[in-house]
C-alpha cells in the first residue's frame, strides 16, 4: 500500500538515501566525471541540508512529501515558492530505482498539485536538464508544456535546461 504524507525532520535520512541513490542511477551515465564531482552527494552534508530545509523552510518557502510503500520510503517530492504569487515550482522529485514505473511519481505530483491548488496557486513549473530521462515524464506522461530553455555552465561543459509548466485547473479537471 502506498501512502504520501508531509515529510518531517525524522525523514531526513530516508530522503537523502533516495536522493543520492536515484541521482546516481539517473545522472552518472550522462554527466562527465567533473560534473559528478561538482554535485555534493556527501551523505553527512546532505543530511545537514535537509535538516535545515525541513526544520526552517518547510511550510514557509517549501513543501515536501514522502512516499512510503508498505512503510518503506520510496520517493519524495518537494516544491518551492516562486517569485510569482500565483505560481509554484516543482523543485525535486525522486523515486528509488527499485520503485520505478509503479505510478509513485504521478501520485506524488498529484498530491503536490492538490496542495498548491488549495494555496491558490494557478500554475506550477519545473526546470529539468534536457539530458535527464525525466523530460519524457514531465512532458509526455504529466503533460507539461515547454515554456523556455536556458544554458547553464556545469563543470567542464554547458548543459541545457528546459522549463515545463502546468496549469493547475487543467490538471484537476
Amino acid at each position: 500500500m502506498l501512502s504520501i504524507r508531509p515529510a518531517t525532520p525524522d525523514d531526513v535520512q530516508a530522503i537523502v538515501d533516495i536522493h543520492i541513490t536515484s541521482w546516481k542511477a539517473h545522472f552518472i551515465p550522462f554527466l562527465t566525471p567533473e560534473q559528478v564531482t561538482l554535485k555534493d552527494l556527501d551523505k553527512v552534508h546532505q543530511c545537514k541540508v535537509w535538516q535545515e530545509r525541513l526544520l526552517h523552510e518547510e511550510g514557509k518557502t517549501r513543501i515536501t512529501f514522502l512516499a512510503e510503500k508498505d512503510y518503506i520510503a520510496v520517493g519524495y517530492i518537494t516544491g518551492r515558492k516562486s517569485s510569482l504569487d500565483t505560481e509554484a515550482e516543482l523543485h525535486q522529485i525522486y523515486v528509488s530505482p527499485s520503485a520505478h514505473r509503479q505510478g509513485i511519481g504521478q501520485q506524488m505530483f498529484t498530491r503536490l498539485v492538490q496542495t498548491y491548488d488549495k494555496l491558490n496557486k494557478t500554475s506550477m513549473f519545473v526546470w529539468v536538464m534536457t539530458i535527464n530521462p525525466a523530460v519524457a515524464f514531465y512532458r509526455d506522461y504529466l503533460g507539461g508544456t515547454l515554456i523556455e530553455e536556458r544554458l547553464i555552465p556545469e563543470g567542464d561543459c554547458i548543459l541545457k535546461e528546459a522549463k515545463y509548466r502546468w496549469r493547475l485547473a487543467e490538471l484537476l479537471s
Side-chain angles (χ1 to χ4, degrees):
M1 181 174 83
L2 184 72
S3 67
I4 299 170
R5 62 170 177 77
T8 71
D10 292 337
D11 299 318
V12 165
Q13 188 64 52
I15 289 171
V16 169
D17 288 344
I18 291 165
H19 177 85
I20 291 173
T21 303
S22 185
W23 195 94
K24 286 180 177 179
H26 289 99
F27 292 107
I28 286 180
F30 302 102
L31 299 177
T32 67
E34 181 184 353
Q35 291 168 320
V36 172
T37 302
L38 290 172
K39 296 298 177 189
D40 187 356
L41 299 177
D42 176 72
K43 279 190 176 188
V44 173
H45 180 259
Q46 285 297 317
C47 283
K48 289 178 185 174
V49 167
W50 276 99
Q51 191 72 27
E52 176 70 19
R53 286 176 178 170
L54 292 173
L55 283 173
H56 301 291
E57 297 174 28
E58 196 65 25
K60 298 173 188 139
T61 60
R62 179 179 299 275
I63 296 171
T64 308
F65 292 104
L66 185 73
E68 295 175 312
K69 187 171 184 182
D70 300 322
Y71 305 101
I72 297 170
V74 293
Y76 75 90
I77 189 169
T78 184
R80 299 189 300 194
K81 284 188 176 180
S82 167
S83 59
L84 301 174
D85 286 342
T86 60
E87 187 171 58
E89 178 184 6
L90 188 170
H91 180 237
Q92 293 179 334
I93 182 171
Y94 285 100
V95 175
S96 296
S98 63
H100 276 197
R101 308 242 184 260
Q102 298 177 26
I104 295 167
Q106 164 91 45
Q107 291 179 58
M108 290 189 302
F109 178 83
T110 299
R111 178 72 183 267
L112 189 63
V113 166
Q114 291 167 341
T115 300
Y116 278 134
D117 180 60
K118 289 177 186 171
L119 294 172
N120 297 316
K121 304 296 182 189
T122 59
S123 66
M124 184 169 68
F125 69 90
V126 66
W127 281 103
V128 58
M129 288 187 291
T130 58
I131 62 169
N132 185 342
V135 166
F137 175 71
Y138 295 125
R139 181 191 60 224
D140 303 334
Y141 192 69
L142 297 177
T145 301
L146 177 64
I147 300 300
E148 65 180 289
E149 293 180 330
R150 66 183 179 191
L151 299 177
I152 55 168
E154 188 74 32
D156 52 359
C157 70
I158 305 252
L159 295 175
K160 189 181 340 179
E161 282 188 321
K163 182 179 186 180
Y164 288 90
R165 178 177 288 137
W166 299 268
R167 299 279 174 216
L168 302 187
E170 293 170 11
L171 295 170
L172 295 167
S173 60

